[in-house]
Amino acid sequence: MVTRIAASIMCADQLHIADELERLDAAGIDLLHCDVMDGKYVNNLAIGPEWLLAVKEATNIALDIHLATIDPLKYIEMFAKIKPEYISFHIEVCEDVPAVIQKIRSYHIKPAIALNPETPLEAILPYLNDVEMVLMMTVNPGFAGQAFQRSVLEKLRILRVTLADNAYAPLIEVDGNINATTIGEMSDCLPDIFVLGTSALFHKKDNKTYAERCVQIWSEVKR
């Protein structure tokens, strides 16, 4: 398994985003995780397509767009022009999952399906052969700084076992207060992609660079 790190761009210093992108590139970040929120599915607003297009033009790091929105089909059309590597949508709001997956694929973008901590794993099981990634939220989407929900660990274990018996296995991504401590709690069911935000990367608790903080994360993953 090749573990990848995604940086939650919402948590970066928005006034110095060009400098932030340079630091993230120097740290070897694999993906920029981009939370798109419509103020309806979650009580917050972020990130617009034009802003992300400027980010895309300023970096070679691939984009991983997470649609925390009521109407994923509308937002897929809005963000497809940016050509991200992934677009994820929430099972909780989706009435026609195959149509959403097909819409994402029609733009040659990898589809991913997201689920919240309280959503049963069974909700996504019928679609595991149709998506490239499962985004498992370890907090409820909408705001940074929430506590890691340890109830998700059992779902993560079950998903990992389920995929082990699956001829086609999508990647597993986790997002929500991911840091060295919470990664340690996932040692027996490690996901493929960790989304790092304020807890592990964009903080001012020390004078370390982003590269040094990523090394600390890698050391925990490799234990």
Side-chain angles (χ1 to χ4, degrees), residues 107-223:
Y107 291 106
H108 305 288
I109 298 165
K110 298 174 183 176
I113 195 164
L115 72 164
N116 289 334
E118 68 275 9
T119 303
L121 188 60
E122 289 75 14
I124 67 165
L125 294 183
Y127 311 108
L128 291 180
N129 290 333
D130 303 316
V131 296
E132 302 289 333
M133 184 171 71
V134 172
L135 169 56
M136 188 169 288
M137 298 299 300
T138 51
V139 303
N140 287 308
F143 296 90
Q146 299 180 63
F148 181 86
Q149 296 196 26
R150 285 166 177 80
S151 60
V152 177
L153 291 173
E154 184 59 23
K155 285 201 300 185
L156 185 56
R157 293 185 186 100
I158 295 171
L159 179 58
R160 181 57 80 193
V161 170
T162 301
L163 294 180
D165 296 328
N166 199 329
Y168 174 82
L171 299 177
I172 302 173
E173 181 178 48
V174 290
D175 179 18
N177 201 356
I178 304 301
N179 53 49
T181 299
T182 54
I183 287 173
E185 297 185 39
M186 293 182 266
S187 60
D188 60 342
C189 52
L190 281 174
D192 304 285
I193 302 173
F194 295 103
V195 178
L196 303 186
T198 305
S199 176
L201 196 60
F202 299 105
H203 61 76
K204 296 181 180 179
K205 300 174 186 176
D206 54 45
N207 293 320
K208 293 181 180 178
T209 65
Y210 292 162
E212 290 169 330
R213 291 172 187 166
C214 286
V215 168
Q216 181 181 5
I217 293 296
W218 285 125
S219 64
E220 191 61 47
V221 170
K222 294 174 180 179
R223 283 189 182 182

